[in-house]
Protein backbone atom coordinates (compact mmCIF):
# COMPACT_ATOMS: atom_id res chain seq x y z
CA UNK A 1 0.00 0.00 0.00
CA UNK A 2 2.87 2.40 0.73
CA UNK A 3 4.18 1.87 -2.82
CA UNK A 4 0.78 2.87 -4.17
CA UNK A 5 0.76 6.06 -2.09
CA UNK A 6 4.25 6.97 -3.34
CA UNK A 7 3.03 6.46 -6.92
CA UNK A 8 0.09 8.80 -6.33
CA UNK A 9 2.56 11.48 -5.24
CA UNK A 10 4.58 10.91 -8.41
CA UNK A 11 1.50 11.48 -10.55
CA UNK A 12 0.69 14.65 -8.60
CA UNK A 13 4.26 15.80 -9.20
CA UNK A 14 3.87 15.05 -12.91
CA UNK A 15 0.67 17.07 -13.03
CA UNK A 16 2.30 19.99 -11.19
CA UNK A 17 5.40 19.92 -13.41
CA UNK A 18 3.26 19.73 -16.56
CA UNK A 19 1.28 22.71 -15.28
CA UNK A 20 4.58 24.61 -14.99
CA UNK A 21 5.16 23.97 -18.68
CA UNK A 22 7.97 21.46 -18.18
CA UNK A 23 8.52 18.85 -20.88
CA UNK A 24 8.10 15.44 -19.21
CA UNK A 25 8.21 11.69 -19.56
CA UNK A 26 6.54 9.14 -17.33
CA UNK A 27 8.27 5.79 -16.79
CA UNK A 28 6.05 2.94 -15.59
CA UNK A 29 7.00 -0.61 -14.58
CA UNK A 30 4.74 -2.64 -16.89
CA UNK A 31 6.03 -6.17 -16.19
CA UNK A 32 8.25 -7.98 -13.67
CA UNK A 33 9.73 -11.49 -13.41
CA UNK A 34 11.36 -13.02 -10.38
CA UNK A 35 12.82 -10.74 -7.78
CA UNK A 36 12.11 -7.16 -8.77
CA UNK A 37 12.73 -4.18 -6.50
CA UNK A 38 9.53 -2.30 -7.47
CA UNK A 39 6.10 -3.71 -8.40
CA UNK A 40 4.22 -3.32 -11.66
CA UNK A 41 2.64 0.13 -11.83
CA UNK A 42 5.52 1.94 -10.10
CA UNK A 43 6.25 5.33 -11.65
CA UNK A 44 9.14 7.72 -12.22
CA UNK A 45 8.51 11.18 -13.67
CA UNK A 46 11.41 12.88 -15.46
CA UNK A 47 11.70 16.39 -16.91
CA UNK A 48 13.79 17.51 -19.88
CA UNK A 49 16.55 18.70 -17.53
CA UNK A 50 16.92 15.21 -16.01
CA UNK A 51 15.17 16.03 -12.73
CA UNK A 52 13.10 13.10 -11.52
CA UNK A 53 10.82 11.88 -8.75
CA UNK A 54 9.60 8.38 -7.92
CA UNK A 55 11.17 4.99 -8.50
CA UNK A 56 10.97 2.11 -10.95
CA UNK A 57 13.78 0.00 -9.53
CA UNK A 58 14.78 1.02 -6.06
CA UNK A 59 17.69 2.92 -7.57
CA UNK A 60 19.53 0.22 -9.53
CA UNK A 61 18.35 1.25 -13.04
CA UNK A 62 16.98 4.75 -12.48
CA UNK A 63 20.01 6.42 -14.11
CA UNK A 64 19.52 4.49 -17.35
CA UNK A 65 15.76 5.18 -17.31
CA UNK A 66 16.34 8.91 -16.78
CA UNK A 67 18.79 9.01 -19.72
CA UNK A 68 16.30 7.19 -21.97
CA UNK A 69 13.46 9.44 -20.74
CA UNK A 70 15.30 12.62 -21.72
CA UNK A 71 15.70 11.14 -25.24
CA UNK A 72 11.98 10.21 -25.28
CA UNK A 73 11.09 13.81 -24.38
CA UNK A 74 13.27 15.07 -27.27
CA UNK A 75 11.95 12.57 -29.82
CA UNK A 76 8.34 12.32 -28.64
CA UNK A 77 8.51 8.56 -29.26
CA UNK A 78 7.74 6.13 -26.39
CA UNK A 79 10.20 3.32 -25.61
CA UNK A 80 9.86 -0.04 -23.89
CA UNK A 81 12.98 -0.80 -21.84
CA UNK A 82 13.96 -4.16 -20.38
CA UNK A 83 16.46 -4.77 -17.60
CA UNK A 84 17.43 -8.16 -16.24
CA UNK A 85 20.23 -10.48 -15.31
CA UNK A 86 20.43 -12.00 -18.80
CA UNK A 87 20.55 -8.56 -20.43
CA UNK A 88 24.01 -6.96 -20.76
CA UNK A 89 22.41 -3.58 -20.14
CA UNK A 90 21.18 -4.80 -16.77
CA UNK A 91 24.72 -5.62 -15.67
CA UNK A 92 25.90 -2.25 -16.87
CA UNK A 93 23.29 -0.51 -14.71
CA UNK A 94 23.68 -2.90 -11.78
CA UNK A 95 20.43 -4.88 -11.62
CA UNK A 96 21.90 -7.65 -9.49
CA UNK A 97 18.73 -8.68 -7.65
CA UNK A 98 18.08 -11.58 -10.02
CA UNK A 99 14.85 -10.32 -11.57
CA UNK A 100 13.78 -8.64 -14.76
CA UNK A 101 11.64 -5.59 -15.32
CA UNK A 102 10.08 -3.90 -18.33
CA UNK A 103 9.60 -0.16 -18.15
CA UNK A 104 7.48 1.89 -20.58
CA UNK A 105 8.73 5.45 -20.99
CA UNK A 106 6.21 7.85 -22.55
CA UNK A 107 6.29 11.59 -23.21
CA UNK A 108 3.55 13.48 -21.38
CA UNK A 109 2.18 16.99 -21.58
CA UNK A 110 -0.38 18.95 -19.61
CA UNK A 111 -3.00 17.81 -22.14
CA UNK A 112 -2.27 14.11 -21.55
CA UNK A 113 -2.61 14.44 -17.76
CA UNK A 114 -6.43 14.51 -17.91
Amino acid sequence: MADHLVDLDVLKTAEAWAGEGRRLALATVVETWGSAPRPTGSHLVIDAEGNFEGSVSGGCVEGAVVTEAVEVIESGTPRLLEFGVADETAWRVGLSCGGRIRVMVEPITAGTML
Side-chain angles (χ1 to χ4, degrees), residues 2-18 24-28 38 41-46 52-56 62 108 113:
D3 290 336
H4 182 68
L5 292 175
V6 170
D7 290 339
L8 289 176
D9 291 340
V10 170
L11 297 177
K12 285 182 180 178
T13 298
E15 183 177 25
W17 287 2
L24 306 174
L26 184 66
T28 304
R38 300 284 293 154
S42 297
H43 296 294
L44 180 69
V45 61
I46 308 97
F52 64 93
E53 186 168 310
S55 177
V56 292
E62 254 89 2
I108 57 172
M113 294 299 296

Side-chain angles (χ1 to χ4, degrees), residues 1-108:
M1 183 160 177
D3 290 336
H4 182 68
L5 292 175
V6 170
D7 290 339
L8 289 176
D9 291 340
V10 170
L11 297 177
K12 285 182 180 178
T13 298
E15 183 177 25
W17 287 2
E20 295 170 3
R22 295 189 195 188
R23 297 176 21 212
L24 306 174
L26 184 66
T28 304
V29 177
V30 295
E31 195 168 8
T32 65
W33 294 273
S35 176
R38 300 284 293 154
T40 301
S42 297
H43 296 294
L44 180 69
V45 61
I46 308 97
D47 73 9
E49 305 300 319
N51 299 300
F52 64 93
E53 186 168 310
S55 177
V56 292
S57 72
C60 53
V61 300
E62 254 89 2
V65 172
V66 168
T67 298
E68 294 278 346
V70 170
E71 292 176 14
V72 164
I73 292 167
E74 289 299 320
S75 71
T77 304
R79 293 184 187 173
L80 181 61
L81 311 175
E82 183 171 332
F83 301 94
V85 171
D87 184 345
E88 291 178 18
T89 302
W91 287 110
R92 187 178 72 222
V93 298
L95 185 64
S96 59
C97 55
R100 284 185 173 194
I101 61 172
R102 281 189 178 164
V103 179
M104 175 60 81
V105 182
E106 304 168 276
I108 57 172

